Amino acid sequence: MEIKTFQQLKLFLSDFNNREFAFDTESEDGLDYLKMTLAGFSLYDGEKSCYVNCYQNPEYNEIISYFTKFIQTYKPTLIMSNAVYDMKILYKHFGISEGFNPVCTVVAEKLISDTEYNYGLKELTQVKLGRSVVDFKTASQYGFNSPQFISYAEADAVNVWDVWQIQKEELKRENQTYLFEQVEMPFQFVLRDMEINGVLVDQTELENLAGETIKRIYDIEEQMLRVFNKTHTLQQGLYDKKEFVSSPVNFNSPKVLIQLIESLGLEITEKTDSGEKSVGKETLLELKDKHKFIELLQTYKKLQKLQSTYVENLRNVDKDGRIRPTYNLVRSGRVTCSPLQQMPNPKKEENKEIGLNFRKVLIPTKGYKFVCADFSGQELRVGAHVCNCKNLIKAFNENKDPHLMTANDVFSLGLSEQQLTQGTPEYKDAKKKYESYRDKGKNCLNFPIMYGTTAGGISKRQGVSYKEAYKWIDSFFETYPEIKQTMDWVKEQLSKYGYIEDMMGRRRRYPDYKNAAKREKEFNERSAFNHLIQGFSASMAKIAATKVLEICKKYFVKFIMFVHDELVFEVKDEFVDDFVKELKPIMCGCVSLKVPIEVDISIKTTF
């Protein structure tokens, strides 16, 4: 049924289910928030369906106004295919920012299923309902006022409703309802705001950074060539005859790299699925300390990737100078942020060899500051709680340094309680004296074991024998036996059920675990243990972000980024202090753990 007038809409809604219905929007300008227009919207309550045609409609304003009042009056549940997209339409064209409960079939399916198919409405309709559907591109070719397009749009709302009827039962059966309703759906408002707000890009600084990156790539390439007694050469363009610098060696060719590395007397043990030698991350990690060329190659590859995936994407800003990232939910429960996910943090050890700060191109609006908030030692604190690890819980509650404490036990440093307690003069001296051991406690044991590392991983990263690495891990488990017990429990759960659930109920499924080969089983076990921590950490960050959204309204704050679990806000100068004062206790109190939650907050003029 097509609706084109205000009176037709009023009559249709007079006996419509005003508490819960499918809602699907159509835009002629795709995903670009600044450009997206409203061609129309579809409604279906399980009995009645319609398509409200807004395209070139003289009664557009009356229709929008009446439907807005309808939503504000009844505060319904809106069942949507891609909730964030439809919520952006609601915000931009109806002025509706809240007062409804979102349901998103894409997110529901990601909680229900670990399959790799696309989670869009077309795919879900085919998989869940066995129906073939026309896609937007095909339907829109007939024109937005055509019977074909109207039929397509109306069918979308019907399909969204029918898919959801199946999914809500599956969510119950999979024990995912609480997670879906209390964590993921409220978080849709955060995602919507971030995708609307975007972040300002300093184009001048970006071009400077692009030039610096290219120069750095050239310099590293020159150093790599010198290893093989070669250098760059000048070449002439085939058509324009302009001279350009060329490398006589293609460092991007796996075949060439294998030959070069083996010519240095290094052995490549990593293989591809087809059994060929591989120059992947594992190979470079294993060979890193064996020749300077490997370190140069690692940095070279990182910089090339940053140039192509980060710098180039940041040039594609919207007309207001802001980039609006796309967020995506992954299996662990975390969200990726494209293209900003590729942005390295210059403070992290693994990024220091890059030598460039890629974050400085993101800037606040004039008269504003960035307020950045990040959970401190989140994985270790969550791990202590999840495993009920007595020594770690004690350490956090007594303000001990967990990394120095691990180093003290594993490497028998003989430090006193005072030397392990942060804030004391003795601790300050001990931290400085045993800095290298503390670094091993942090980056070789505490965090890597929580992430699921192996003795092989420690051996490669630290350049020690397998025997020594096993010894370190055994000492770690002697200090924190509950972590080993939890890992053993994970194996039992996988053998029994084929999946693991974190404390919020988020599942990670391993259907082939029982029949997997030993190596694959061990990988699944590490991944499943890590899920207990990563999954809950992801939910914890989402709950915090959702709670903070309330004070964003109070201080007119823009929630602009959620990158690597770091929450980033754009705050007017005059409100920064008051906002920060309320921000920290909200984040620290977002969930209840057996250890205190700590949050690091910084105020910046660039990201």
Side-chain angles (χ1 to χ4, degrees):
M1 174 184 178
E2 180 187 13
I3 287 176
K4 291 197 76 169
T5 70
F6 154 70
Q7 287 298 337
Q8 287 176 330
L9 179 61
K10 185 176 179 181
L11 181 63
F12 178 85
L13 293 177
S14 63
D15 62 344
F16 193 68
N17 180 355
N18 53 39
R19 296 299 178 191
E20 181 180 58
F21 53 88
F23 174 74
D24 189 72
T25 62
E26 305 297 341
S27 170
E28 62 177 314
D29 293 304
L31 302 175
D32 188 324
Y33 177 73
L34 295 185
K35 293 179 182 176
M36 61 168 59
T37 56
L38 178 63
F41 58 97
S42 308
L43 307 171
Y44 181 57
D45 68 352
E47 294 183 6
K48 291 175 62 181
S49 68
C50 73
Y51 175 65
V52 183
N53 192 344
C54 299
Y55 187 69
Q56 298 175 346
N57 190 334
E59 293 198 25
Y60 179 91
N61 291 333
E62 291 85 352
I63 287 171
I64 295 297
S65 177
Y66 187 78
F67 188 70
T68 300
K69 288 177 184 174
F70 179 80
I71 296 290
Q72 291 170 339
T73 301
Y74 295 108
K75 304 185 186 310
T77 294
L78 300 182
I79 303 162
M80 298 169 275
S81 170
N82 179 350
V84 171
Y85 176 81
D86 290 324
M87 288 163 71
K88 287 192 288 187
I89 291 277
L90 281 172
Y91 183 85
K92 181 174 181 179
H93 294 288
F94 296 86
I96 298 172
S97 62
E98 55 189 0
F100 62 91
N101 300 311
V103 164
C104 180
T105 58
V106 169
V107 174
E109 192 63 22
K110 288 189 177 185
L111 297 186
I112 294 163
S113 172
D114 279 338
T115 54
E116 293 296 337
Y117 62 77
N118 191 304
Y119 296 96
L121 181 58
K122 180 181 176 181
E123 289 75 20
L124 288 180
T125 300
Q126 291 169 337
V127 171
K128 299 285 184 186
L129 307 174
R131 298 174 189 164
S132 60
V133 292
V134 176
D135 60 28
F136 175 85
K137 186 177 180 181
T138 302
S140 61
Q141 287 176 349
Y142 294 96
F144 290 102
N145 283 322
S146 67
Q148 292 92 335
F149 186 80
I150 291 162
S151 174
Y152 149 80
E154 192 172 345
D156 267 3
V158 173
N159 290 333
V160 169
W161 173 277
D162 289 347
V163 165
W164 171 242
Q165 303 316 303
I166 294 171
Q167 284 182 327
K168 64 183 177 182
E169 295 305 316
E170 290 177 326
L171 285 168
K172 286 179 190 173
R173 189 167 63 246
E174 295 285 307
N175 193 31
Q176 302 292 289
T177 303
Y178 176 86
L179 179 66
F180 180 78
E181 292 179 350
Q182 302 301 317
V183 178
E184 294 296 350
M185 288 306 97
F187 186 65
Q188 299 302 295
F189 290 98
V190 175
L191 292 177
R192 177 204 62 191
D193 283 7
M194 291 191 296
E195 291 194 12
I196 288 173
N197 292 332
V199 58
L200 192 61
V201 177
D202 185 332
Q203 287 296 322
T204 302
E205 191 61 57
L206 178 63
E207 291 311 312
N208 291 338
L209 181 68
E212 289 175 24
T213 306
I214 291 169
K215 183 179 183 303
R216 183 107 169 85
I217 290 171
Y218 173 85
D219 289 344
I220 291 172
E221 193 174 64
E222 183 69 23
Q223 291 178 62
M224 291 194 295
L225 287 170
R226 279 195 215 118
V227 172
F228 302 99
N229 297 314
K230 297 180 184 295
T231 187
H232 284 107
T233 58
L234 277 176
Q235 300 286 329
Q236 200 172 59
L238 186 62
Y239 300 108
D240 58 16
K241 303 302 180 183
K242 288 183 179 178
E243 289 187 332
F244 63 94
V245 175
S246 174
S247 169
V249 177
N250 181 6
F251 291 114
N252 294 308
S253 164
K255 186 177 179 180
V256 170
L257 283 176
I258 289 169
Q259 291 173 349
L260 292 174
I261 291 170
E262 290 186 334
S263 75
L264 296 172
L266 302 176
E267 183 182 0
I268 296 173
T269 57
E270 188 184 0
K271 300 287 178 69
T272 63
D273 292 338
S274 60
E276 301 290 324
K277 291 179 180 178
S278 169
V279 193
K281 284 183 180 179
E282 286 300 312
T283 293
L284 298 183
L285 189 63
E286 186 175 352
L287 301 177
K288 183 178 179 181
D289 297 322
K290 296 184 178 178
H291 200 284
K292 185 183 177 183
F293 174 74
I294 303 297
E295 291 181 38
L296 291 169
L297 181 60
Q298 282 181 310
T299 308
Y300 179 77
K301 284 178 171 288
K302 280 184 183 179
L303 284 166
Q304 281 194 318
K305 186 176 180 182
L306 286 166
Q307 178 71 10
S308 61
T309 62
Y310 179 65
V311 175
E312 291 305 318
N313 277 317
L314 283 186
R315 287 181 167 136
N316 300 321
V317 295
D318 292 331
K319 62 183 179 181
D320 60 354
R322 303 177 84 88
I323 189 163
R324 288 172 169 82
T326 301
Y327 291 88
N328 183 48
L329 177 68
V330 295
R331 285 183 179 185
S332 67
R334 295 190 181 277
V335 289
T336 59
C337 174
S338 177
L340 303 182
Q341 197 72 22
Q342 286 82 19
M343 178 174 50
N345 186 340
K347 291 181 181 177
K348 292 203 171 182
E349 193 66 36
E350 65 267 25
N351 297 322
K352 285 185 179 175
E353 75 271 18
I354 292 172
L356 297 171
N357 182 1
F358 285 81
R359 292 186 163 210
K360 64 183 178 181
V361 301
L362 304 180
I363 57 172
T365 306
K366 189 176 181 181
Y368 288 73
K369 296 283 192 306
F370 281 154
V371 173
C372 307
D374 199 5
F375 289 106
S376 176
Q378 185 187 24
E379 287 87 356
L380 207 55
R381 291 172 191 272
V382 170
H385 178 88
V386 167
C387 300
N388 194 24
C389 184
K390 293 181 176 58
N391 283 336
L392 265 183
I393 291 170
K394 185 171 183 287
F396 282 121
N397 283 314
E398 293 181 356
N399 200 30
K400 299 279 197 311
D401 182 333
H403 307 310
L404 194 55
M405 190 172 83
T406 296
N408 185 47
D409 289 348
V410 172
F411 304 113
S412 305
L413 303 181
L415 299 177
S416 67
E417 292 288 303
Q418 285 295 99
Q419 288 174 302
L420 295 172
T421 304
Q422 298 177 88
T424 66
E426 292 88 346
Y427 166 74
K428 188 177 178 182
D429 293 339
K431 184 182 178 185
K432 186 177 180 180
K433 182 177 179 181
Y434 296 102
E435 183 180 358
S436 63
Y437 285 104
R438 182 185 182 275
D439 183 67
K440 284 181 179 146
K442 178 182 179 180
N443 297 311
C444 166
L445 292 165
N446 281 349
F447 284 126
I449 287 176
M450 291 297 180
Y451 283 122
T453 195
T454 62
I458 292 173
S459 173
K460 287 176 184 177
R461 284 172 175 80
Q462 295 299 315
V464 297
S465 66
Y466 273 77
K467 185 178 179 182
E468 187 70 10
Y470 276 117
K471 183 181 172 185
W472 290 1
I473 290 177
D474 288 343
S475 296
F476 178 90
F477 287 141
E478 283 177 21
T479 303
Y480 309 119
E482 296 88 355
I483 294 177
K484 180 67 167 64
Q485 289 163 15
T486 305
M487 289 177 171
D488 292 339
W489 173 81
V490 164
K491 293 179 190 178
E492 293 173 12
Q493 293 296 108
L494 292 182
S495 295
K496 211 180 278 187
Y497 305 112
Y499 65 82
I500 198 76
E501 277 187 2
D502 70 15
M503 292 189 300
M504 284 286 179
R506 192 183 304 276
R507 283 191 182 184
R508 187 72 188 270
R509 300 163 185 83
Y510 301 88
D512 300 325
Y513 174 78
K514 286 184 180 179
N515 299 320
K518 183 173 183 276
R519 187 174 176 181
E520 185 67 19
K521 268 190 174 180
E522 289 173 348
F523 175 80
N524 288 343
E525 288 158 6
R526 294 193 300 274
S527 169
F529 172 73
N530 179 243
H531 175 72
L532 293 179
I533 297 162
Q534 292 291 321
F536 183 78
S537 295
S539 297
M540 177 178 162
K542 289 175 182 175
I543 291 168
T546 304
K547 288 178 180 289
V548 171
L549 206 56
E550 289 304 309
I551 61 165
C552 287
K553 299 171 194 170
K554 180 178 175 181
Y555 294 109
F556 310 101
V557 169
K558 286 184 178 179
F559 202 144
I560 60 167
M561 284 189 288
F562 193 99
V563 186
H564 303 297
D565 295 332
E566 187 173 7
L567 281 56
V568 185
F569 309 90
E570 193 174 73
V571 189
K572 205 166 186 179
D573 290 344
E574 62 193 88
F575 295 130
V576 167
D577 291 342
D578 290 335
F579 177 69
V580 168
K581 203 176 289 182
E582 292 196 44
L583 173 64
K584 190 161 188 173
I586 288 174
M587 290 186 66
C588 289
C590 64
V591 295
S592 178
L593 299 181
K594 294 168 186 171
V595 299
I597 296 170
E598 292 294 332
V599 174
D600 294 327
I601 295 179
S602 55
I603 300 164
K604 305 177 182 177
T605 53
T606 65
F607 182 47

